[in-house]
């Protein structure tokens, strides 16, 4: 089974969210990268752009498929992982570390509607059947 | 549950990710599609292509039958030689593409696509009525394609010296029969190699011996990027019954001479040639990073539009590449629409990569 760290929160669309002080770091899950296979291209949101929950904000492409990334949080993009533009495979190699996509400063009073690791794992298992 | 080739269990044993392909359970990859692509370009890989349809054609009228059925002319063949051709409908549209092997003057072997098996068998049978011939689908056979620059070195341990000599002496598109093995120097990757047709019950043992010889299992994923780099059309994607070989970069497969040979679609092709062919299948290379995909829109300078028929990512070039059907007025550059934005692509005559060499027209 793919790696689903307990310390992170997840969206139904296979993004993960990590809280670092007042910022959220966002990436795609190990399961998502494994489904896509060897990634060859990444499009990231514009820095300083504003995203709403569920908004298409990035694209990850493998040889066989392109997948949209949906923002799991509303807020302002404060940083993107530029290393991915040169080396998209960082997502395959280290989806929760070097393969992060972008950081967002959430709007105030932003209530997160995310899954914990157990709920996300359940969803992955149910999708497989 | 799909149909299974005799190598189904071998694929599972090699950790294949299995997918449905035209009703068959086939290996997509065995871990990494990109790595498998590189194995074939730099080393040696093998593909189970037993899902493809083999049809043997025998009988006294076989020459007349194939003269009528195929756009290429079997008079070019001698026993032990094969060619690539299309069979066309009356409008000149491509019913399927296939390899034809001449085994004897009254015995030919056709290998057609599995996705079009039923249609092809109907077509072959329908046109066979006027001829004294016998068609036999060979479901008792399996096919392995072994491809890559190091294949020739790696098979030395597999065949005895005498057989090996005759295999290594094969020129492209020639074949030899050794016992129950039918070995042809053909393939669908743009690299040197062989396609081996063997009895279904013998193929697992051969697979094991090839694995021992360090020939890596490769899936349909790598097969697709390899054939695309090699500029080889995929039936149903790059061409179908609505387009002719002249619109599909396959004019070279049409044998116009002798003029008396009447083949299905000839009149339509002649008419198209007189009136002028208006579109062609070209190769595109995306200038910036990104991936080209099927059905993306292509815009050419001075107006006119086309469409990508096969788009993907080239592991060899590290760039998005595609085959696209476009107006023949296209220049050396065009624009491709990706998610609503225009991106510049270079236009070339395929292939992109053959025999490990990058097409020298491609601008880095």
């Amino acid at each position: 089974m793919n790696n689903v760290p307990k310390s992170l929160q997840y969206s139904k669309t296979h993004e993960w969210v990590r809280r670092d002080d007042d910022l959220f770091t966002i990436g795609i899950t190990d399961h998502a990268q494994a489904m896509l296979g060897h990634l060859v291209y990444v499009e990231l949101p514009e820095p300083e752009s504003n995203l709403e929950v569920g908004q298409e904000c990035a694209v990850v492409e493998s040889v066989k498929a392109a997948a949209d990334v949906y923002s799991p949080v509303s807020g302002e993009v404060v940083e993107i992982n530029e290393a991915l533009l040169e080396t998209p495979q960082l997502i395959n190699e280290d989806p929760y570390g070097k393969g992060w996509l972008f950081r967002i400063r959430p709007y105030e009073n932003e209530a997160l509607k995310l899954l914990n690791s157990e709920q996300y794992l359940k969803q992955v298992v149910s999708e497989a059947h | 549950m799909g149909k299974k080739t005799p190598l189904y269990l071998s694929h599972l044993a090699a950790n294949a990710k299995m997918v449905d392909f035209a009703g068959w359970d086939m290996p997509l990859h065995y871990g990494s599609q990109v790595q498998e692509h590189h194995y074939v370009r730099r080393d040696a890989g093998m593909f189970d292509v037993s899902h493809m349809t083999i049809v043997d054609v025998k009988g006294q009228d076989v020459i007349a039958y194939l003269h009528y059925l195929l756009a290429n002319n079997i008079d070019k063949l001698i026993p032990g030689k094969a060619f690539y051709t299309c069979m066309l409908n009356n409008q000149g549209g491509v019913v399927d593409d296939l390899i034809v092997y001449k085994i004897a003057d009254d015995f030919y072997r056709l290998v057609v696509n599995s996705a079009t098996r039923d249609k092809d068998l109907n077509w072959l049978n329908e046109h066979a009525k006027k001829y004294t011939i016998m068609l036999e689908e060979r479901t008792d056979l399996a096919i392995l394609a072994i491809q890559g620059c190091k294949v020739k070195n790696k098979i030395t341990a597999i065949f005895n010296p005498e057989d090996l000599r005759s295999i290594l002496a094969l020129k492209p598109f020639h074949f030899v029969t050794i016992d129950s093995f039918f070995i042809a120097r053909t393939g669908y990757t743009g690299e040197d190699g062989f396609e081996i047709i063997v009895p279904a019950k013998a193929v697992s043992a051969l697979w094991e011996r090839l694995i021992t010889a360090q020939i890596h299992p490769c899936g349909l994923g790598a097969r697709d990027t390899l054939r695309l780099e090699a500029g080889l059309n995929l039936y149903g994607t790059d061409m179908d019954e609505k387009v002719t070989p002249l619109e599909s970069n396959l004019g070279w497969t049409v044998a116009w001479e002798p003029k008396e040979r009447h083949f299905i679609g000839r009149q339509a092709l002649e008419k198209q040639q007189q009136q002028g062919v208006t579109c062609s299948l070209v190769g595109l290379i995306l200038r910036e990073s990104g991936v080209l995909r099927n059905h993306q829109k292509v815009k050419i300078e001075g107006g006119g539009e086309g469409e990508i028929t096969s788009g993907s990512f080239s592991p060899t070039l590290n760039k998005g590449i595609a085959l696209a059907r476009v107006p023949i007025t296209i220049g050396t550059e065009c624009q491709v629409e990706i998610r609503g934005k225009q991106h510049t692509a270079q236009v070339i005559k395929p292939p992109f990569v053959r025999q490990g060499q990058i097409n020298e027209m491609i601008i880095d």
Side-chain angles (χ1 to χ4, degrees):
Chain A
M1 183 37 94
N2 300 115
N3 181 15
V4 183
K6 285 207 164 63
S7 57
L8 304 178
Q9 291 183 285
Y10 300 88
S11 68
K12 285 185 178 165
T13 46
H14 307 287
E15 292 84 13
W16 57 261
V17 180
R18 187 180 67 222
R19 178 153 206 162
D20 302 315
D21 298 324
D22 58 344
L23 299 182
F24 288 106
T25 302
I26 286 149
I28 65 167
T29 65
D30 190 31
H31 172 71
Q33 71 77 21
M35 293 298 285
L36 284 163
H38 188 108
L39 293 172
V40 295
Y41 179 66
V42 176
E43 247 175 54
L44 295 172
E46 290 289 324
E48 297 176 27
S49 61
N50 290 299
L51 300 177
E52 298 300 323
V53 169
Q55 185 179 338
E56 288 175 15
C57 60
V59 179
V60 286
E61 296 202 44
S62 66
V63 177
K64 63 183 170 187
D68 290 317
V69 177
Y70 303 93
S71 183
V73 181
S74 299
E76 184 194 355
V77 177
V78 292
E79 192 181 356
I80 59 171
N81 185 0
E82 290 189 5
L84 297 181
L85 303 177
E86 272 298 302
T87 319
Q89 298 93 286
L90 289 175
I91 299 173
N92 298 112
E93 291 160 12
D94 191 8
Y96 301 113
K98 289 183 182 141
W100 65 280
L101 298 179
F102 57 93
R103 291 205 172 92
I104 206 165
R105 185 185 309 283
Y107 299 142
E108 278 178 49
N109 307 322
E110 172 74 9
L112 296 184
K113 287 186 197 139
L114 294 169
L115 309 174
N116 63 30
S117 62
E118 205 170 303
Q119 291 165 324
Y120 177 66
L121 200 54
K122 254 185 211 161
Q123 182 197 304
V124 169
V125 171
S126 74
E127 277 179 4
H129 293 289
Chain B
M1 294 293 272
K3 289 180 273 185
K4 292 171 176 49
T5 77
L7 287 169
Y8 179 73
L9 292 175
S10 307
H11 298 317
L12 296 188
N15 287 320
K17 165 140 177 77
M18 304 298 286
V19 292
D20 173 71
F21 181 84
W24 292 80
D25 286 344
M26 296 301 289
L28 180 64
H29 61 73
Y30 302 83
S32 169
Q33 169 176 347
V34 172
Q35 183 59 48
E36 289 159 23
H37 181 106
H38 291 317
Y39 280 141
V40 173
R41 286 274 177 258
R42 300 169 186 170
D43 191 44
M46 64 172 160
F47 303 85
D48 176 15
V49 285
S50 305
H51 60 306
M52 295 194 75
T53 304
I54 304 170
V55 183
D56 284 349
V57 194
K58 289 181 198 172
Q60 64 181 58
D61 287 347
V62 67
I63 291 175
Y65 172 66
L66 294 177
H67 271 160
Y68 180 60
L69 195 77
L70 305 174
N72 211 336
N73 185 354
I74 52 158
D75 292 348
K76 293 176 185 172
L77 298 179
I78 54 168
K81 194 169 187 317
F83 66 32
Y84 172 79
T85 182
C86 294
M87 43 186 191
L88 308 177
N89 60 27
N90 272 322
Q91 292 73 46
V94 181
V95 173
D96 199 10
D97 62 342
L98 60 153
I99 303 274
V100 180
Y101 303 85
K102 178 169 185 170
I103 295 170
D105 285 337
D106 60 352
F107 182 7
Y108 291 76
R109 171 166 289 173
L110 319 180
V111 177
V112 304
N113 283 299
S114 65
T116 49
R117 173 193 171 272
D118 297 354
K119 177 184 86 167
D120 288 351
L121 291 179
N122 284 340
W123 185 262
L124 293 171
N125 279 307
E126 184 60 33
H127 292 286
K129 286 177 185 164
K130 284 180 276 176
Y131 299 93
T132 306
I133 58 154
M134 215 175 64
L135 292 166
E136 185 190 6
E137 183 186 8
R138 298 296 303 271
T139 53
D140 57 319
L141 299 177
I143 314 178
L144 269 186
I146 54 175
Q147 304 276 294
C149 53
K150 301 216 172 127
V151 158
K152 283 184 167 173
N153 305 333
K154 293 193 175 194
I155 58 169
T156 51
I158 295 194
F159 297 97
N160 72 47
E162 192 189 329
D163 293 344
L164 191 65
R165 255 196 305 280
S166 57
I167 295 167
L168 296 183
L170 287 173
K171 296 191 186 105
F173 277 89
H174 284 70
F175 65 93
V176 62
T177 303
I178 297 172
D179 301 326
S180 62
F181 282 31
F182 179 103
I183 303 173
R185 194 162 161 212
T186 52
Y188 193 47
T189 62
E191 292 301 318
D192 203 356
F194 303 93
E195 289 176 303
I196 308 180
I197 303 179
V198 296
K201 55 182 187 289
V203 73
S204 298
L206 176 61
W207 173 272
E208 291 304 324
R209 282 159 72 196
L210 292 167
I211 285 190
T212 309
Q214 304 281 313
I215 299 182
H216 307 274
C218 298
L220 293 181
R223 190 170 161 81
D224 191 52
T225 50
L226 286 158
R227 71 91 194 165
L228 180 59
E229 282 188 350
L232 300 169
N233 295 0
L234 174 62
Y235 187 78
T237 301
D238 301 308
M239 56 191 176
D240 56 28
E241 295 191 18
K242 294 188 210 71
V243 294
T244 73
L246 309 181
E247 299 163 321
S248 308
N249 201 25
L250 293 178
W252 61 276
T253 67
V254 179
W256 300 101
E257 301 290 335
K259 291 188 178 63
E260 312 80 73
R261 184 176 71 98
H262 177 62
F263 61 87
I264 307 171
R266 176 172 192 132
Q267 263 187 329
L269 291 189
E270 283 175 346
K271 192 174 164 203
Q272 185 177 45
Q273 229 184 14
Q274 276 164 16
Q275 294 177 341
V277 182
T278 57
C279 63
S280 67
L281 200 66
V282 298
L284 305 184
I285 305 119
L286 196 58
R287 277 283 168 79
E288 308 139 54
S289 58
V291 186
L292 294 171
R293 301 287 180 194
N294 299 11
H295 307 303
Q296 283 170 343
K297 203 185 281 176
V298 178
K299 286 187 180 155
I300 73 171
E301 211 169 306
E305 276 187 9
E307 189 183 278
I308 287 178
T309 54
S310 282
S312 190
F313 184 82
S314 159
T316 305
L317 298 171
N318 231 358
K319 285 177 194 293
I321 60 167
L323 294 175
R325 185 162 283 104
V326 295
I328 54 160
T329 50
I330 196 165
T332 56
E333 266 188 7
C334 66
Q335 300 292 316
V336 182
E337 188 174 310
I338 306 174
R339 291 184 282 274
K341 285 187 204 147
Q342 303 300 320
H343 296 262
T344 304
Q346 188 192 353
V347 181
I348 62 155
K349 183 175 167 56
F352 304 90
V353 183
R354 278 269 175 104
Q355 310 281 340
Q357 299 293 309
I358 293 170
N359 185 328
E360 55 189 24
M361 295 304 289
I362 296 174
I363 300 164
D364 192 25

